[in-house]
Amino acid sequence: MARTEFPAKATHAQTRAHNASLVLRALYDLGPISRAAIARLTGLTRTSVGELVAELEQDGLAQEVGRGPSTGGKAPTLVSLIDDARHMVTLDLGERTFTAALLNLRGEIQRRATRNLDGADGDAAVALVHDLIDELLAGPHSPILGIGVGTPGIVDSEGTIRWAVNLSWTDLPLGKRLAAHYNLPTVVANDSRAAAFATFLFEGEDRPTNLIAIKVGHGIGAGLVLDGQLFDGDGFGAGEIGHIVIEPDGAPCHCGRFGCLETVASVPAILRRAFFQAAESGVRIPQSIEAIAAAAAAGDELALGVVRAAGRALGMAVASLTGALDVRRIVVLGSATVLGEPWFEAIRDEARRRTLATLARDTEVVNGGPADDAVLLGTCALLLTRELGLTVRR
Ligand SMILES: [Zn+2]
């Protein structure tokens, strides 16, 4: 078999791109910083650093911002990344609302736009995606680094949505379509996975190596970060726990089966259960997840029963995940987190009951809150990593 020969020029270009990314990362993480300090940190020569910083200045990504403290000789000139040198458009395709944001290189949201789905699916839902991107691009913005989309369903590495049942999308090459239409780099990722990545990055200094984020709202999905990387699985379905069958004789699920986790533990499932139980007992029917949370917090037995049943079902899924992966940090986020401690207690109890004592002892199930922007920030982080080799921090 013929050996592939790489021309020396390509290798040189690759090295240069790698070095440029080292300099950019030093500016991003540690700037304002002197060229000499970048050289020390990266191991590059001062000449190389000087050239690479000059290129970044030409691209409008970096600028000189004055002088740092002198260490004997002449005070060094400091260079800084320009946070607004590039913007990104990211989208969170929620169950009832699509949200989009324009973010800068630090993941700071500059503007937002939303569209209600009103039952739109298929091509109509794709049109809403275009609508949102067009609206944000029509306003003032810096050069756009790329587009990031967080969507429900199974998404492959090409940005093709293999299956998003609520939106009636099957094998939709959304990533390729958007990239071609806007002529911009595009990342499409599963929403729970994007949220998990954001949660992981924003954990701060004591960031764990492994983390599972479970998003519980209209649907249920998990994202797995293993060894600091988002884990895909063999078919990009890692973390799709919403359609694990929990009650074989349970309610029909929109996926075509019965008793999936989503039919038991999602927000609509909790509302449904509360409705039927209240109707049966002849008491006032709670109208929202917040009303159920308030009733449970006030000690209402019916509400507590509903909240605990949903929490226990989720606890079973947590037990399977920790049993298989031995990940100690589980962050639960999404709109269902308003259910508060009674719900979290049930999740923890059930997870503990179903796992080995040694695993259970060290596993923490943490309240990540509603995390409304987690998907927007997660896709932004994926874009920054892919396009500039940067790791956004909070
Ligand atoms: Zn299902």
Side-chain angles (χ1 to χ4, degrees):
M1 211 158 99
R3 202 157 57 97
T4 313
E5 296 283 351
F6 290 104
K9 215 173 147 194
T11 311
H12 178 72
Q14 277 162 3
T15 309
R16 198 160 176 85
H18 174 72
N19 291 347
S21 129
L22 286 179
V23 171
L24 190 62
R25 216 178 306 166
L27 284 171
Y28 193 77
D29 290 343
L30 305 163
I33 185 171
S34 70
R35 290 172 178 83
I38 296 176
R40 259 197 319 278
L41 282 164
T42 57
L44 299 171
T45 65
R46 287 211 191 193
T47 316
S48 300
V49 170
E51 285 170 17
L52 291 164
V53 168
E55 277 177 23
L56 291 172
E57 285 177 321
Q58 268 165 27
D59 290 343
L61 277 161
Q63 65 185 357
E64 291 188 348
V65 289
R67 290 185 181 279
S70 165
T71 49
K74 198 177 138 206
T77 304
L78 299 182
V79 184
S80 171
L81 179 93
I82 302 171
D83 293 346
D84 284 298
R86 300 285 185 277
H87 284 155
M88 286 157 269
V89 175
T90 67
L91 292 93
D92 175 4
L93 309 187
E95 301 280 348
R96 274 172 291 185
T97 311
F98 284 2
T99 308
L102 186 80
L103 306 99
N104 71 6
L105 291 173
R106 295 281 172 200
E108 294 161 345
I109 293 177
Q110 314 293 306
R111 278 204 309 281
R112 291 170 188 271
T114 56
R115 293 284 186 282
N116 286 326
L117 262 177
D118 294 326
D121 62 3
D123 289 342
V126 175
L128 288 178
V129 169
H130 278 273
D131 245 26
L132 283 165
I133 298 171
D134 293 343
E135 179 179 331
L136 288 175
L137 292 182
H141 61 78
S142 301
I144 300 291
L145 184 71
I147 297 170
V149 182
T151 172
I154 295 180
V155 188
D156 70 18
S157 60
E158 307 272 287
T160 295
I161 299 161
R162 299 259 178 95
W163 186 65
V165 65
N166 293 316
L167 294 165
S168 307
W169 286 344
T170 315
D171 295 324
L172 173 73
L174 188 67
K176 277 189 183 147
R177 275 203 211 168
L178 294 177
H181 184 85
Y182 294 100
N183 196 23
L184 286 169
T186 301
V187 171
V188 181
N190 169 272
D191 53 358
S192 297
R193 288 156 48 73
F197 197 47
T199 308
F200 170 72
L201 292 175
F202 301 148
E203 283 273 305
E205 288 310 309
D206 56 344
R207 184 187 296 163
T209 320
N210 305 311
L211 174 147
I212 296 174
I214 305 177
K215 196 163 168 276
V216 188
H218 209 89
I220 299 175
L224 319 179
V225 178
L226 304 178
D227 285 333
Q229 306 279 331
L230 255 184
F231 180 72
D232 285 330
D234 285 334
F236 306 98
E240 277 291 311
I241 58 171
H243 298 281
I244 294 174
V245 174
I246 297 273
E247 294 177 345
D249 303 318
C253 179
H254 50 66
C255 75
R257 281 174 301 177
F258 292 85
C260 293
L261 182 61
E262 281 192 4
T263 68
V264 185
S266 66
V267 168
I270 294 168
L271 284 169
R272 204 160 44 235
R273 188 175 293 226
F275 175 91
F276 284 121
Q277 295 209 355
E280 228 168 67
S281 323
V283 299
R284 224 172 130 242
I285 291 166
Q287 299 293 320
S288 65
I289 195 78
E290 288 80 11
I292 295 171
D300 179 274
E301 279 306 318
L302 189 148
L304 273 173
V306 169
V307 168
R308 285 187 185 133
R312 278 197 298 275
L314 203 60
M316 292 185 206
V318 170
S320 321
L321 288 167
T322 51
L325 299 165
D326 183 23
V327 171
R328 306 286 162 89
R329 193 166 178 84
I330 315 280
V331 182
V332 181
L333 46 90
S335 54
T337 56
V338 296
L339 294 171
E341 267 318 291
W343 186 63
F344 274 97
E345 265 317 301
I347 299 172
R348 291 184 191 115
D349 267 0
E350 193 66 27
R352 214 173 294 137
R353 251 172 27 85
R354 287 172 183 264
T355 32
L356 287 175
T358 46
L359 285 180
R361 199 180 48 229
D362 298 324
T363 305
E364 20 166 26
V365 178
V366 184
N367 183 350
D372 292 327
D373 292 336
V375 176
L376 295 172
L377 292 169
T379 47
C380 162
L382 287 170
L383 268 176
L384 280 174
T385 309
R386 189 183 288 187
E387 296 306 314
L388 297 177
L390 296 175
T391 304
V392 67
R393 287 205 181 86
R394 277 292 151 107

